[in-house]
Coordinates of all heavy atoms in Angstrom, one line a residue:
M3 N 27.9 42.0 3.2 CA 27.5 43.3 3.8 C 28.8 44.2 3.6 O 29.9 43.9 3.8 CB 27.2 43.2 5.3 CG 26.9 44.4 6.0 SD 26.6 44.2 7.8 CE 25.1 43.4 7.7
G4 N 28.5 45.5 3.1 CA 29.6 46.4 2.9 C 30.0 47.2 4.1 O 29.3 47.1 5.2
A5 N 31.1 47.9 4.0 CA 31.5 48.7 5.1 C 30.6 49.9 5.4 O 30.0 50.4 4.4 CB 32.9 49.2 4.9
A6 N 30.4 50.3 6.6 CA 29.7 51.4 6.8 C 30.3 52.7 6.5 O 31.5 52.8 6.8 CB 29.3 51.5 8.4
P7 N 29.7 53.6 6.0 CA 30.4 55.0 5.5 C 30.9 55.6 6.8 O 30.2 55.7 7.9 CB 29.3 55.7 4.9 CG 28.3 54.7 4.4 CD 28.4 53.7 5.4
K8 N 31.9 56.4 6.7 CA 32.5 57.3 7.7 C 32.0 58.7 7.4 O 32.3 59.2 6.3 CB 34.0 57.2 7.9 CG 34.5 58.1 8.8 CD 36.0 58.0 8.9 CE 36.6 58.9 10.0 NZ 38.0 58.7 10.1
A9 N 31.3 59.4 8.4 CA 30.8 60.7 8.2 C 31.9 61.7 8.6 O 32.7 61.6 9.6 CB 29.6 61.0 9.0
L10 N 32.1 62.7 7.8 CA 33.0 63.9 7.9 C 32.2 65.2 7.8 O 31.3 65.4 7.0 CB 34.1 63.8 7.0 CG 34.9 62.6 6.8 CD1 35.8 62.7 5.6 CD2 35.9 62.6 8.1
K11 N 32.4 66.0 8.9 CA 31.9 67.4 8.8 C 32.9 68.2 8.1 O 34.1 68.0 8.0 CB 31.7 68.0 10.2 CG 30.7 67.2 11.1 CD 29.3 67.5 10.5 CE 28.3 66.9 11.4 NZ 26.9 66.9 10.9
A12 N 32.4 69.3 7.4 CA 33.3 70.3 6.6 C 34.4 70.6 7.6 O 34.2 71.1 8.7 CB 32.4 71.4 6.2
G13 N 35.6 70.6 7.1 CA 36.8 71.0 8.0 C 37.5 69.8 8.6 O 38.6 69.9 9.2
D14 N 36.8 68.6 8.8 CA 37.3 67.4 9.4 C 38.5 67.0 8.6 O 38.4 66.8 7.3 CB 36.4 66.3 9.6 CG 35.3 66.5 10.8 OD1 35.5 67.6 11.5 OD2 34.4 65.8 10.8
V15 N 39.6 66.4 9.3 CA 40.7 65.9 8.6 C 40.5 64.3 8.6 O 40.2 63.7 9.6 CB 42.0 66.2 9.4 CG1 43.2 65.4 8.7 CG2 42.4 67.7 9.3
L16 N 40.6 63.8 7.3 CA 40.5 62.4 7.1 C 41.8 61.7 7.5 O 41.8 60.7 8.2 CB 40.1 62.1 5.7 CG 39.9 60.6 5.4 CD1 38.8 59.9 6.1 CD2 39.6 60.5 3.8
F17 N 42.9 62.2 6.9 CA 44.2 61.8 7.3 C 45.3 62.9 7.0 O 45.0 63.8 6.3 CB 44.7 60.5 6.6 CG 44.6 60.4 5.2 CD1 45.6 61.0 4.4 CD2 43.5 59.7 4.5 CE1 45.5 60.9 2.9 CE2 43.6 59.6 3.1 CZ 44.5 60.2 2.4
R18 N 46.4 62.8 7.7 CA 47.4 63.9 7.6 C 48.6 63.3 6.8 O 48.9 62.2 6.9 CB 47.8 64.4 8.9 CG 46.8 65.1 9.7 CD 47.3 65.8 10.9 NE 46.2 66.3 11.8 CZ 45.6 67.5 11.4 NH1 46.0 68.2 10.4 NH2 44.6 67.9 12.2
E19 N 49.3 64.3 6.1 CA 50.6 64.0 5.5 C 51.5 63.3 6.5 O 51.7 63.7 7.6 CB 51.2 65.2 4.9 CG 52.4 65.1 4.2 CD 52.9 66.5 3.7 OE1 52.1 67.5 3.7 OE2 54.0 66.5 3.1
G20 N 52.0 62.2 6.2 CA 53.0 61.4 7.0 C 52.3 60.3 7.8 O 53.0 59.5 8.4
D21 N 51.0 60.3 8.0 CA 50.2 59.2 8.6 C 50.5 57.8 7.9 O 50.8 57.8 6.7 CB 48.8 59.4 8.6 CG 48.3 60.6 9.6 OD1 49.1 61.0 10.4 OD2 47.1 60.8 9.5
N22 N 50.5 56.7 8.7 CA 50.5 55.5 8.1 C 49.4 55.1 7.2 O 48.3 55.6 7.4 CB 50.6 54.3 9.2 CG 51.8 54.3 10.0 OD1 52.9 54.7 9.5 ND2 51.7 53.9 11.2
S23 N 49.6 54.4 6.2 CA 48.6 54.0 5.1 C 48.2 52.7 5.5 O 48.9 51.7 5.2 CB 49.2 54.2 3.7 OG 49.7 55.5 3.5
T24 N 47.0 52.4 5.7 CA 46.4 51.1 5.9 C 45.1 50.8 5.1 O 44.6 49.8 5.1 CB 46.1 50.9 7.4 OG1 45.0 51.8 7.8 CG2 47.3 51.0 8.3
S25 N 44.7 51.8 4.4 CA 43.4 51.6 3.6 C 43.3 52.7 2.5 O 44.1 53.7 2.5 CB 42.2 51.8 4.5 OG 42.2 53.1 5.1
M26 N 42.5 52.4 1.6 CA 42.1 53.4 0.5 C 40.6 53.7 0.8 O 39.9 53.1 1.6 CB 42.3 53.0 -0.9 CG 41.5 51.9 -1.3 SD 41.9 51.5 -3.0 CE 40.3 51.8 -3.8
L27 N 40.1 54.8 0.3 CA 38.7 55.3 0.5 C 38.1 55.7 -0.7 O 38.7 56.1 -1.8 CB 38.8 56.4 1.5 CG 39.6 56.1 2.8 CD1 40.9 56.8 2.9 CD2 38.7 56.3 4.1
V28 N 36.7 55.5 -0.7 CA 36.0 55.9 -1.9 C 35.0 56.9 -1.2 O 34.4 56.8 -0.2 CB 35.1 54.7 -2.4 CG1 34.1 55.2 -3.5 CG2 36.0 53.6 -2.9
V29 N 34.9 58.1 -1.9 CA 34.0 59.1 -1.5 C 32.5 58.8 -1.9 O 32.2 58.6 -3.1 CB 34.3 60.5 -2.1 CG1 33.4 61.7 -1.6 CG2 35.8 60.9 -1.8
K30 N 31.6 58.6 -1.0 CA 30.3 58.2 -1.2 C 29.5 59.6 -1.5 O 28.7 59.6 -2.4 CB 29.7 57.6 0.0 CG 28.3 57.1 -0.2 CD 27.7 56.3 0.9 CE 26.2 55.9 0.6 NZ 25.7 55.1 1.7
K31 N 29.7 60.6 -0.7 CA 29.1 61.9 -1.0 C 30.0 63.0 -0.4 O 30.8 62.8 0.5 CB 27.7 62.0 -0.5 CG 27.5 62.0 1.0 CD 26.0 62.1 1.4 CE 26.0 62.6 2.9 NZ 24.6 62.8 3.3
G32 N 29.7 64.2 -1.0 CA 30.5 65.3 -0.5 C 31.7 65.6 -1.3 O 31.9 65.2 -2.6
R33 N 32.7 66.4 -0.8 CA 33.9 66.9 -1.5 C 35.0 66.9 -0.5 O 34.8 67.4 0.6 CB 33.7 68.2 -2.2 CG 32.7 68.2 -3.4 CD 32.9 69.2 -4.3 NE 34.1 69.1 -5.2 CZ 34.3 68.3 -6.2 NH1 33.4 67.4 -6.4 NH2 35.4 68.4 -7.0
L34 N 36.1 66.4 -0.9 CA 37.3 66.4 0.0 C 38.5 67.3 -0.8 O 38.4 67.4 -1.9 CB 37.9 65.0 0.1 CG 36.9 63.9 0.7 CD1 37.7 62.6 0.7 CD2 36.4 64.3 2.1
I35 N 39.3 67.8 0.1 CA 40.5 68.6 -0.4 C 41.7 67.9 -0.1 O 42.0 67.4 1.0 CB 40.5 70.0 0.3 CG1 39.2 70.9 0.0 CG2 41.7 70.8 -0.2 CD1 39.2 72.0 0.9
V36 N 42.6 67.8 -1.2 CA 43.9 67.2 -0.9 C 44.9 68.4 -0.9 O 44.9 69.3 -1.7 CB 44.3 66.3 -2.1 CG1 45.7 65.7 -2.0 CG2 43.3 65.2 -2.3
C37 N 45.7 68.5 0.2 CA 46.6 69.6 0.3 C 48.0 69.1 0.9 O 48.1 68.1 1.5 CB 46.0 70.7 1.2 SG 45.2 70.2 2.6
K38 N 49.0 70.0 0.7 CA 50.4 69.7 1.2 C 50.8 70.9 2.0 O 50.4 72.0 1.7 CB 51.3 69.5 0.1 CG 51.1 68.3 -0.8 CD 52.0 67.2 -0.6 CE 53.5 67.3 -0.4 NZ 54.0 66.0 -0.1
S39 N 51.6 70.7 2.9 CA 52.2 71.8 3.8 C 53.4 72.2 3.0 O 54.2 71.4 2.4 CB 52.6 71.3 5.2 OG 51.5 70.9 5.9
K40 N 53.5 73.5 3.1 CA 54.8 74.2 2.5 C 55.2 75.3 3.4 O 54.5 76.4 3.4 CB 54.6 74.8 1.0 CG 55.8 75.2 0.5 CD 55.8 75.5 -0.9 CE 57.1 76.1 -1.4 NZ 57.3 75.9 -2.9
G41 N 56.2 74.9 4.3 CA 56.5 75.9 5.4 C 55.2 76.0 6.4 O 54.7 75.0 6.9
T42 N 54.8 77.3 6.5 CA 53.6 77.4 7.5 C 52.3 77.6 6.6 O 51.3 77.7 7.2 CB 53.7 78.8 8.3 OG1 53.9 79.8 7.3 CG2 54.9 78.6 9.3
A43 N 52.4 77.4 5.3 CA 51.3 77.6 4.4 C 50.8 76.1 3.9 O 51.5 75.1 4.1 CB 51.6 78.3 3.2
E44 N 49.6 76.1 3.5 CA 49.0 74.8 3.0 C 48.6 75.1 1.5 O 47.9 76.1 1.2 CB 47.8 74.5 3.8 CG 47.3 73.2 3.7 CD 46.2 72.8 4.7 OE1 45.1 73.2 4.6 OE2 46.6 72.0 5.6
I45 N 49.0 74.2 0.6 CA 48.7 74.3 -0.8 C 47.6 73.3 -1.2 O 47.9 72.1 -1.0 CB 49.8 74.2 -1.6 CG1 51.0 75.3 -1.2 CG2 49.6 74.2 -3.1 CD1 52.3 75.0 -1.8
E46 N 46.6 73.8 -1.8 CA 45.5 72.8 -2.2 C 45.9 72.3 -3.5 O 46.2 73.0 -4.5 CB 44.1 73.6 -2.4 CG 43.1 72.6 -2.7 CD 41.6 73.3 -2.7 OE1 41.4 74.1 -1.8 OE2 40.9 73.0 -3.7
L47 N 46.0 70.9 -3.6 CA 46.4 70.2 -4.8 C 45.3 69.8 -5.6 O 45.3 69.8 -6.9 CB 47.3 69.0 -4.4 CG 48.6 69.3 -3.6 CD1 49.2 68.0 -3.3 CD2 49.4 70.2 -4.4
A48 N 44.1 69.4 -5.0 CA 43.0 68.7 -5.8 C 41.8 68.7 -4.9 O 41.9 68.7 -3.7 CB 43.4 67.3 -6.2
E49 N 40.7 68.6 -5.6 CA 39.4 68.2 -4.9 C 38.9 66.9 -5.5 O 39.1 66.5 -6.6 CB 38.3 69.2 -5.3 CG 38.4 70.5 -4.5 CD 37.1 71.4 -4.6 OE1 36.0 70.9 -4.8 OE2 37.3 72.6 -4.6
I50 N 38.3 66.0 -4.5 CA 37.9 64.8 -4.8 C 36.4 64.7 -4.5 O 36.1 65.2 -3.4 CB 38.6 63.7 -3.9 CG1 40.2 63.9 -4.0 CG2 38.1 62.3 -4.3 CD1 40.8 63.6 -5.4
G51 N 35.7 64.2 -5.4 CA 34.3 64.2 -5.2 C 33.6 62.8 -5.2 O 34.4 61.8 -5.2
A52 N 32.3 62.7 -5.1 CA 31.6 61.4 -5.0 C 32.0 60.5 -6.2 O 32.1 60.9 -7.2 CB 30.1 61.7 -5.0
G53 N 32.2 59.2 -5.8 CA 32.6 58.2 -6.7 C 34.2 58.1 -7.0 O 34.5 57.2 -7.7
Q54 N 34.8 59.0 -6.5 CA 36.3 59.1 -6.7 C 36.9 58.3 -5.4 O 36.5 58.2 -4.3 CB 36.8 60.4 -6.9 CG 36.4 61.0 -8.2 CD 37.0 62.4 -8.3 OE1 36.6 63.4 -7.7 NE2 38.0 62.4 -9.3
M55 N 38.2 57.8 -5.8 CA 39.0 57.2 -4.7 C 40.2 58.0 -4.2 O 40.6 59.0 -4.9 CB 39.6 55.9 -5.3 CG 38.7 54.8 -5.6 SD 39.5 53.3 -6.1 CE 40.0 53.8 -7.7
I56 N 40.6 57.8 -3.0 CA 41.6 58.5 -2.4 C 42.5 57.6 -1.7 O 42.0 56.6 -1.0 CB 41.2 59.7 -1.5 CG1 42.4 60.6 -1.1 CG2 40.5 59.2 -0.3 CD1 42.6 61.8 -2.1
G57 N 43.8 57.6 -1.7 CA 44.8 56.8 -1.0 C 45.1 55.5 -1.7 O 45.7 54.6 -1.1
E58 N 44.7 55.4 -2.9 CA 44.9 54.1 -3.7 C 46.3 53.8 -3.9 O 46.8 52.7 -4.1 CB 44.1 54.0 -5.0 CG 44.5 54.9 -6.0 CD 44.0 56.4 -6.0 OE1 43.4 56.7 -4.9 OE2 44.3 57.1 -6.9
M59 N 47.2 54.8 -4.2 CA 48.6 54.6 -4.5 C 49.3 53.9 -3.3 O 50.2 53.1 -3.4 CB 49.3 55.9 -4.8 CG 48.9 56.5 -6.2 SD 49.0 55.4 -7.5 CE 50.7 55.2 -7.6
A60 N 48.9 54.1 -2.1 CA 49.6 53.6 -0.9 C 49.3 52.1 -0.9 O 50.1 51.3 -0.3 CB 49.0 54.2 0.4
F61 N 48.4 51.6 -1.6 CA 48.1 50.0 -1.6 C 49.3 49.4 -2.3 O 49.8 48.4 -1.9 CB 46.8 49.8 -2.5 CG 46.6 48.2 -2.6 CD1 46.3 47.4 -1.6 CD2 46.8 47.7 -3.8 CE1 46.0 46.1 -1.7 CE2 46.6 46.3 -4.0 CZ 46.3 45.5 -3.0
F62 N 49.9 50.1 -3.2 CA 51.0 49.5 -4.1 C 52.4 49.9 -3.4 O 53.3 49.1 -3.3 CB 50.9 50.1 -5.5 CG 49.7 49.5 -6.2 CD1 48.7 50.4 -6.3 CD2 49.7 48.3 -6.6 CE1 47.5 50.0 -7.1 CE2 48.5 47.7 -7.3 CZ 47.3 48.6 -7.4
D63 N 52.6 51.1 -3.0 CA 53.9 51.6 -2.4 C 54.0 51.4 -0.8 O 55.1 51.4 -0.4 CB 54.3 52.9 -2.9 CG 53.5 54.1 -2.3 OD1 52.7 53.8 -1.3 OD2 53.5 55.1 -2.9
R64 N 52.9 51.3 -0.1 CA 52.9 51.1 1.3 C 53.7 52.2 2.0 O 54.1 51.9 3.1 CB 53.4 49.6 1.7 CG 52.6 48.5 1.0 CD 51.2 48.5 1.4 NE 50.5 47.5 0.6 CZ 49.6 46.6 1.0 NH1 49.2 46.8 2.3 NH2 49.0 45.8 0.2
K65 N 53.7 53.3 1.4 CA 54.4 54.5 2.1 C 53.5 55.3 2.8 O 52.2 55.2 2.7 CB 55.0 55.4 1.1 CG 56.2 54.7 0.4 CD 56.9 55.5 -0.6 CE 58.1 54.8 -1.3 NZ 58.8 55.7 -2.4
P66 N 53.9 56.1 3.8 CA 53.0 57.1 4.5 C 52.3 57.9 3.6 O 52.6 58.2 2.5 CB 53.9 57.8 5.4 CG 55.2 56.9 5.5 CD 55.3 56.2 4.3
R67 N 51.2 58.5 4.1 CA 50.4 59.4 3.2 C 51.2 60.6 2.8 O 52.0 61.1 3.5 CB 49.2 59.9 4.1 CG 48.3 58.9 4.6 CD 47.5 58.2 3.6 NE 46.5 57.3 4.2 CZ 45.9 56.5 3.5 NH1 46.0 56.4 2.1 NH2 44.9 55.7 4.1
S68 N 51.0 60.9 1.5 CA 51.9 61.9 0.9 C 51.2 63.4 1.0 O 51.8 64.3 0.6 CB 52.1 61.6 -0.6 OG 51.0 61.5 -1.3
A69 N 50.0 63.4 1.4 CA 49.3 64.6 1.6 C 48.2 64.5 2.6 O 47.9 63.5 3.2 CB 48.7 65.1 0.3
T70 N 47.7 65.7 3.0 CA 46.6 65.8 4.0 C 45.3 65.8 3.2 O 45.2 66.5 2.1 CB 46.8 67.0 4.9 OG1 47.9 66.9 5.6 CG2 45.5 67.2 5.8
V71 N 44.2 65.1 3.7 CA 43.0 65.2 3.1 C 42.0 65.5 4.1 O 41.9 65.0 5.1 CB 42.6 63.8 2.4 CG1 41.2 63.8 1.9 CG2 43.6 63.4 1.3
K72 N 41.1 66.5 3.8 CA 40.1 67.0 4.6 C 38.8 67.2 3.9 O 38.8 67.5 2.7 CB 40.6 68.2 5.5 CG 41.0 69.4 4.7 CD 41.6 70.4 5.6 CE 42.1 71.6 4.9 NZ 42.8 72.6 5.7
A73 N 37.7 67.3 4.6 CA 36.4 67.5 4.1 C 36.2 69.0 3.7 O 36.5 69.8 4.5 CB 35.3 67.1 5.0
K74 N 36.0 69.3 2.5 CA 35.4 70.6 2.1 C 34.0 70.9 2.5 O 33.7 72.0 2.9 CB 35.7 70.8 0.6 CG 35.4 72.2 0.1 CD 35.7 72.4 -1.4 CE 35.4 73.9 -1.8 NZ 36.0 74.1 -3.1
L75 N 33.2 69.8 2.3 CA 31.9 70.0 2.6 C 31.5 68.7 3.6 O 32.3 67.7 3.7 CB 31.0 69.7 1.3 CG 31.2 70.7 0.2 CD1 30.4 70.2 -1.0 CD2 30.9 72.0 0.6
D76 N 30.4 68.6 4.2 CA 29.9 67.5 5.0 C 30.1 66.3 3.9 O 29.5 66.4 2.8 CB 28.6 67.6 5.5 CG 28.4 68.6 6.6 OD1 29.5 69.1 7.1 OD2 27.3 68.8 7.1
S77 N 30.7 65.3 4.3 CA 31.0 64.1 3.3 C 30.8 62.8 4.1 O 30.8 62.7 5.2 CB 32.5 64.3 2.8 OG 32.6 65.5 2.3
E78 N 30.9 61.8 3.2 CA 30.8 60.4 3.7 C 31.9 59.6 2.8 O 31.9 59.7 1.5 CB 29.4 59.7 3.5 CG 28.5 60.1 4.6 CD 27.2 59.4 4.4 OE1 27.0 58.5 3.5 OE2 26.3 59.7 5.3
V79 N 32.7 58.8 3.5 CA 33.7 58.0 2.8 C 33.6 56.6 3.2 O 33.1 56.3 4.3 CB 35.2 58.4 3.0 CG1 35.3 59.9 2.4 CG2 35.5 58.4 4.4
I80 N 33.8 55.5 2.3 CA 33.8 54.2 2.6 C 35.3 53.7 2.7 O 36.0 54.0 1.6 CB 33.1 53.4 1.6 CG1 31.6 53.8 1.6 CG2 33.1 51.9 1.8 CD1 30.8 53.3 0.5
E81 N 35.7 53.2 3.7 CA 37.1 52.7 3.9 C 37.2 51.3 3.4 O 36.5 50.5 3.8 CB 37.5 52.8 5.4 CG 39.0 52.5 5.6 CD 39.4 52.8 7.0 OE1 38.6 52.9 7.9 OE2 40.7 52.8 7.3
L82 N 38.3 51.0 2.6 CA 38.6 49.7 2.2 C 40.0 49.3 2.6 O 41.0 49.8 2.2 CB 38.6 49.7 0.6 CG 37.3 50.2 -0.1 CD1 37.5 50.4 -1.5 CD2 36.2 49.2 0.2
P83 N 40.1 48.5 3.7 CA 41.4 48.1 4.3 C 42.3 47.4 3.3 O 41.8 46.6 2.5 CB 41.0 47.2 5.4 CG 39.6 47.5 5.7 CD 38.9 47.8 4.4
F84 N 43.6 47.7 3.3 CA 44.5 47.0 2.4 C 44.5 45.6 2.6 O 44.7 44.8 1.7 CB 45.9 47.6 2.6 CG 46.1 49.0 2.1 CD1 47.1 49.8 2.6 CD2 45.2 49.5 1.1 CE1 47.3 51.1 2.3 CE2 45.5 50.9 0.7 CZ 46.5 51.6 1.2
S85 N 44.4 45.1 3.8 CA 44.3 43.6 4.0 C 43.3 42.9 3.3 O 43.5 41.9 2.6 CB 44.2 43.3 5.6 OG 43.0 43.9 6.1
S86 N 42.0 43.5 3.2 CA 40.9 42.9 2.5 C 41.2 43.1 1.0 O 41.0 42.0 0.2 CB 39.6 43.6 2.8 OG 39.4 43.4 4.1
L87 N 41.8 44.2 0.5 CA 42.1 44.4 -0.9 C 43.2 43.4 -1.4 O 43.2 42.9 -2.4 CB 42.5 45.8 -1.1 CG 41.4 46.9 -1.0 CD1 42.1 48.3 -1.0 CD2 40.4 46.7 -2.0
Q88 N 44.1 43.2 -0.5 CA 45.3 42.3 -0.8 C 44.7 41.0 -1.1 O 45.1 40.2 -2.0 CB 46.3 42.3 0.2 CG 47.6 41.5 -0.2 CD 48.3 42.2 -1.3 OE1 48.6 43.3 -1.3 NE2 48.6 41.5 -2.4
T89 N 43.8 40.4 -0.3 CA 43.2 39.1 -0.5 C 42.4 39.0 -1.8 O 42.6 38.1 -2.6 CB 42.1 38.8 0.6 OG1 42.8 38.9 1.9 CG2 41.5 37.4 0.4
Q90 N 41.8 40.1 -2.2 CA 41.1 40.1 -3.5 C 42.2 40.1 -4.6 O 42.0 39.5 -5.7 CB 40.2 41.3 -3.6 CG 39.0 41.2 -2.7 CD 38.1 40.1 -3.1 OE1 37.8 39.8 -4.3 NE2 37.5 39.3 -2.2
F91 N 43.2 41.0 -4.4 CA 44.2 41.1 -5.5 C 45.0 39.8 -5.7 O 45.2 39.5 -6.8 CB 45.2 42.2 -5.0 CG 46.3 42.8 -6.0 CD1 45.8 43.5 -7.0 CD2 47.5 42.3 -5.9 CE1 46.8 44.0 -8.1 CE2 48.5 42.7 -6.9 CZ 48.1 43.6 -7.8
D92 N 45.2 39.1 -4.6 CA 45.9 37.8 -4.7 C 45.1 36.7 -5.6 O 45.7 35.9 -6.1 CB 46.4 37.4 -3.4 CG 47.4 38.2 -2.8 OD1 48.1 39.0 -3.5 OD2 47.7 38.1 -1.6
S93 N 43.9 36.8 -5.4 CA 43.0 35.7 -6.0 C 42.7 36.3 -7.5 O 42.3 35.5 -8.2 CB 41.7 35.5 -5.2 OG 40.9 36.7 -5.2

């Protein structure tokens, strides 16, 4: 049985720059925006769509989130915890 998708409404924050990294995510539907803070402004770096992954680099470096990710449209993501991925990676 797979993980249940997490629903996001447009504008919802999935995670913020500096948050702890414990999972990567796959976008099931919708669009997400990746952005960074610069002073009081926010700079959009990328858009992530259905079928794409987000947060995968943290699986390898285990560092805090390097950017904020929020829903541009109503979206669904599937969370893949690093603990489960590590078991698969080790085998």
Side-chain angles (χ1 to χ4, degrees):
M3 182 183 288
K8 177 180 179 174
L10 300 166
K11 296 285 186 194
D14 285 353
V15 174
L16 181 59
F17 55 77
R18 294 187 186 284
E19 185 175 351
D21 285 352
N22 287 332
S23 303
T24 59
S25 62
M26 64 179 246
L27 303 109
V28 177
V29 181
K30 183 174 179 185
K31 73 175 192 177
R33 293 203 67 76
L34 306 178
I35 300 170
V36 180
C37 46
K38 295 252 323 165
S39 297
K40 183 165 182 160
T42 58
E44 194 172 77
I45 299 167
E46 187 175 317
L47 302 175
E49 277 192 35
I50 307 295
Q54 293 182 288
M55 292 185 289
I56 191 91
E58 70 280 3
M59 290 305 297
F61 175 71
F62 297 102
D63 67 18
R64 305 298 173 142
K65 292 184 179 177
R67 301 293 186 190
S68 60
T70 297
V71 174
K72 57 187 173 182
K74 181 174 185 173
L75 307 172
D76 289 354
S77 303
E78 288 184 357
V79 296
I80 299 171
E81 186 173 17
L82 304 169
F84 289 157
S85 57
S86 298
L87 292 172
Q88 189 65 54
T89 301
Q90 292 295 318
F91 189 74
D92 290 343
S93 64

